[in-house]
Amino acid sequence: MQRLLLLGDEALAQGAIDAGLSGMYAYPGTPSTEIMEYIQHSKDAKERKIHTDWSANEKTAMETALGMSYAGKRTMVAMKHVGLNVAADAFVNSSITGANGGIIVVVADDPSMHSSQNEQDSRFYGNFSMMPILEPSNQQEAYDMIHYGFEMSESFGTPVLLRITTRLAHSRADVVRREQRTQNEIKLPEDLKQFILLPSIARKRYKLLLEKQNDFIKASEESKFNRYHEGEDKSMGIIVSGIAYNYLMENYPDQKVPYPVLHINQYPIPEKYIQKMNEEVDSFLLLEEGYPFIEEKLKSILAKELIVKGRLDGTVPRDGELSPNIVAKALGMEVTYGEHIPNFVAGRPPELCKGCPHTDSYTALNSVLEDYEMGRVFADIGCYTLAALPPLEAIHTTVDMGASITMAKGAADAGLFPSVAVIGDSTFTHSGMTGLLDAVMENSNIVVMILDNSTTGMTGGQTSSAFGRIEGICEGIGVDKDHIRIINPLKKFHEQNVEVLREEIEYNGVSVIIPRRECVQTLMRKMKVKRAQRKKDKEAEK
Ligand SMILES: Cc1ncc(C[n+]2csc(CCOP(=O)(O)OP(=O)(O)O)c2C)c(N)n1
Ligand code: SF4
């Protein structure tokens, strides 16, 4: 079969194409974005007419996928870990409705917060929703698990959560493909009421979900993805999950670990193996990428006093990614891995690109706010969050997508003036619109700047659902037309822009200011494509 060199994200995408995917829904977020991008650029996916859509947010993505599953087709949803908070209502309830066509929810966690505001571990959501969880430890497993996950989803009638972390998502290895499977035909669920979560039906569905738990455990215990490796030295047993296995093996170049090792890649936790290890060893070492998920469960499974080393007792740091060196320390071995890091990879603070429209928007805002001692700027998540750093230092809060407008409203309710919200175009349609409605309903005294760079810049320039719609949305929500102002964030319009901002700050009510200029990165890419096309046309004329 064909071998491909793929990122973990791409292995998931190729796996889904080959496993009979009919539709994929996602909202961009590092480190998950490349899954959708791969499918959107795949000739194969195009030929197979796989439907793809960058949804307005993770919740709409999850719900749309659930609709496709209802219609009997295989579907995948992808998001970063914090996106699962947004999708949580649909996600948790989907374990009660169950699945018809296979549905896999891929969530990419970001331990060490390389590009996130927290490092939450999605396995807790899977456990909370009582869903099977898959956690590949390499690219081949990522590919294979998609096939396996769809089969499991359809045979158990449940959505399946597939969790990856940054290093797997963004590193390459070769993957052997399988034969492609055809897509499912449209087929309605056998139980036509299963997706109607009225209490009387939901109670029955919940009981069914509880009954399925033993089947899920059995599947984990029989899964080829959960493996027990015997070891001579029984002073300790190592339980390792997902990609953490690689960090362990980096410390044993001969691939011979002296201790018994239980490698968990599928949940619920395979209790049979835990019992086996407990009978053999004097103590446990837990190596997990993320929170101490298995570690916390261990004592409840075994119900006795145990010596457990891991993140909870400080043997492994409580936060951040694992590394071969962290694992070496936990094993009492010498730390030797990658000691000499070259200077050119030393960390640099991130900054807005040269010529970024956001710089000019903030320069104007900073000028106006010099005249207001209490002026506060409630910002959101996007490239424009970088204005928290020097030289701009223009924003005062960033919490979650959409929190700018609502926090500005809360502060204005408390009497803070001026209270300014700054939000990007994509973030506005993701989760800012409802907050704006709250502000309109109470005619809150806030200024909302919707920075329209015509793209989702921070995650690499995906299409923004807001494109060409912002004024219409704001008007529809009820913002007074006279207080929806469009400005051009360029240096030469600085004075004009300052004046507009000042006028709207002085207006007592909801104002929306839309600084509109395209992101220079997407603009440059478009120009490059145009130049290449022109060159091609000229050559064709010759
Ligand atoms: C719930 C959630 N989903 C996704 C992300 C990843 N993410 C961060 S900012 C952003 C969108 C930024 O686009 P926009 O608001 O248009 O601002 P720009 O970066 O273009 O300035 C995304 C998708 C996130 N941080 N949180
Ligand atoms: S990618 Fe675009 S929006 Fe982001 S900093 Fe660069 S120019 Fe600005």
Side-chain angles (χ1 to χ4, degrees):
M1 287 306 286
Q2 189 189 28
R3 292 175 95 90
L4 295 171
L5 187 63
L6 298 175
L7 296 177
D9 276 351
E10 295 171 345
L12 294 169
Q14 188 64 56
I17 295 169
D18 293 346
L21 182 80
S22 293
M24 155 126 199
Y25 303 92
Y27 185 73
T30 311
S32 70
T33 311
E34 290 85 352
I35 307 171
M36 175 65 112
E37 286 182 336
Y38 184 89
I39 296 186
Q40 286 189 328
H41 293 126
S42 157
K43 224 174 110 202
D44 216 1
K46 202 168 266 165
E47 277 165 15
R48 289 168 73 89
K49 296 196 170 51
I50 294 174
H51 189 104
T52 62
D53 183 25
W54 284 120
S55 307
N57 65 35
E58 294 84 353
K59 181 173 183 283
T60 62
M62 178 72 214
E63 290 158 349
T64 318
L66 204 55
M68 186 164 272
S69 166
Y70 180 95
K73 302 239 177 183
R74 290 190 168 183
T75 181
M76 188 157 85
V77 196
M79 63 195 73
K80 69 182 288 165
H81 59 338
V82 285
L84 192 50
N85 299 334
V86 177
D89 198 7
F91 176 77
V92 174
N93 289 322
S94 73
S95 68
I96 313 259
T97 63
N100 183 29
I103 173 166
I104 298 181
V105 184
V106 178
V107 184
D109 290 357
D110 188 19
S112 278
M113 305 182 222
H114 295 286
S115 44
S116 309
Q117 65 270 46
N118 76 30
E119 57 174 42
Q120 66 188 58
D121 185 326
S122 300
R123 291 176 298 171
F124 281 85
Y125 265 114
N127 179 58
F128 178 57
S129 312
M130 301 185 201
M131 246 180 229
I133 309 167
L134 301 174
E135 189 185 10
S137 51
N138 57 46
Q139 288 71 4
Q140 184 69 56
E141 270 182 5
Y143 177 87
D144 292 336
M145 274 183 176
I146 291 288
H147 294 257
Y148 177 80
F150 276 134
E151 279 156 26
M152 186 161 57
S153 174
E154 286 173 359
S155 61
F156 288 127
T158 176
V160 170
L161 172 68
L162 192 149
R163 177 217 190 208
I164 51 167
T165 52
T166 312
R167 299 285 166 187
L168 178 59
H170 286 169
S171 59
R172 278 183 199 280
D174 70 329
V175 170
V176 182
R177 282 176 75 183
R178 297 187 191 185
E179 216 164 281
Q180 283 193 330
R181 179 192 178 279
T182 51
Q183 293 178 34
N184 292 353
E185 295 295 327
I186 285 202
K187 181 176 154 280
L188 292 179
E190 272 169 33
D191 174 359
L192 282 172
K193 293 196 174 150
Q194 81 179 70
F195 285 82
I196 308 173
L197 292 189
L198 275 170
S200 58
I201 300 170
R203 273 183 224 116
K204 285 188 201 136
R205 296 289 313 170
Y206 181 50
K207 277 196 197 328
L208 191 63
L209 177 63
L210 293 173
E211 281 165 20
K212 285 181 191 170
Q213 296 306 302
N214 281 336
D215 300 335
F216 296 168
I217 293 177
K218 194 159 171 272
S220 268
E221 290 178 343
E222 289 170 359
S223 171
K224 62 179 179 198
F225 296 112
N226 288 333
R227 295 181 280 265
Y228 195 95
H229 307 276
E230 302 292 344
E232 302 261 294
D233 185 345
K234 313 283 188 201
S235 61
M236 182 167 74
I238 302 175
I239 301 179
V240 62
S241 69
I243 196 177
Y245 182 70
N246 304 328
Y247 298 127
L248 174 68
M249 298 315 285
E250 291 280 357
N251 284 288
Y252 295 98
D254 59 358
Q255 304 289 292
K256 286 186 190 135
V257 183
Y259 311 102
V261 175
L262 169 56
H263 185 190
I264 298 180
N265 288 317
Q266 182 176 334
Y267 309 79
I269 293 171
E271 295 186 6
K272 173 180 91 176
Y273 288 130
I274 302 270
Q275 301 289 3
K276 173 176 158 65
M277 185 169 268
N278 188 39
E279 280 159 24
E280 289 184 1
V281 303
D282 302 331
S283 65
F284 291 88
L285 173 65
L286 272 291
L287 300 172
E288 303 178 70
E289 190 70 297
Y291 288 6
F293 175 75
I294 304 171
E295 194 175 340
E296 281 182 355
K297 289 205 160 243
L298 200 58
K299 289 195 180 182
S300 67
I301 293 172
L302 296 173
K304 71 170 209 182
E305 280 304 303
L306 296 167
I307 304 172
V308 180
K309 294 179 185 164
R311 291 207 189 254
L312 291 175
D313 80 333
T315 302
V316 177
R318 186 66 178 80
D319 63 324
E321 285 182 298
L322 295 177
S323 69
N325 284 345
I326 288 174
V327 172
K329 259 193 194 165
L331 289 163
M333 295 167 85
E334 207 185 331
V335 170
T336 55
Y337 196 83
E339 274 176 325
H340 306 294
I341 298 172
N343 282 341
F344 65 85
V345 291
R348 281 168 289 147
E351 53 186 35
L352 293 166
C353 303
K354 275 209 166 58
C356 174
H358 299 336
T359 306
D360 295 300
S361 300
Y362 280 123
T363 313
L365 181 62
N366 276 352
S367 290
V368 184
L369 290 183
E370 274 171 19
D371 299 338
Y372 298 90
E373 202 190 330
M374 290 288 278
R376 296 282 103 177
V377 179
F378 300 89
D380 227 294
I381 304 191
C383 286
Y384 48 91
T385 315
L386 296 173
L389 306 171
L392 288 164
E393 295 182 291
I395 65 169
H396 304 107
T397 68
T398 299
V399 179
D400 61 67
M401 286 187 79
S404 56
I405 301 179
T406 31
M407 284 186 73
K409 177 188 184 311
D413 290 349
L416 187 98
F417 174 79
S419 187
V420 180
V422 176
I423 188 166
D425 52 339
S426 179
T427 305
F428 177 63
T429 41
H430 176 282
S431 48
M433 297 187 297
T434 42
L436 184 61
L437 181 60
D438 280 348
V440 166
M441 294 300 285
E442 289 212 297
N443 196 29
S444 308
N445 191 13
I446 62 170
V447 173
V448 179
M449 289 177 79
I450 305 176
L451 308 186
D452 182 10
N453 58 1
S454 311
T455 191
T456 314
M458 180 155 239
T459 43
Q462 295 76 23
T463 48
S464 160
S465 304
F467 187 73
R469 295 188 172 82
I470 300 177
E471 298 91 301
I473 292 172
C474 294
E475 260 189 72
I477 283 174
V479 180
D480 182 344
K481 210 173 170 178
D482 293 341
H483 295 281
I484 301 175
R485 315 275 299 265
I486 296 158
I487 63 174
N488 188 344
L490 271 173
K491 252 195 200 86
K492 62 179 176 185
F493 299 121
H494 178 78
E495 291 310 324
Q496 243 168 282
N497 294 343
V498 164
E499 218 28 61
V500 171
L501 275 160
R502 199 184 305 280
E503 280 167 23
E504 294 308 327
I505 284 172
E506 288 302 323
Y507 167 67
N508 189 357
V510 179
S511 310
V512 171
I513 297 173
I514 308 168
R516 176 166 290 145
R517 176 156 71 83
E518 184 167 358
C519 157
V520 292
Q521 294 297 337
T522 53
L523 189 66
M524 280 192 307
R525 256 178 265 155
K526 277 185 205 160
M527 280 162 49
K528 204 170 153 192
V529 172
K530 262 192 198 157
R531 270 200 304 271
Q533 188 57 46
R534 246 184 270 139
K535 202 172 154 199
K536 237 187 193 174
D537 293 346
K538 261 192 192 159
E539 270 161 19
E541 277 169 24
K542 277 181 199 166

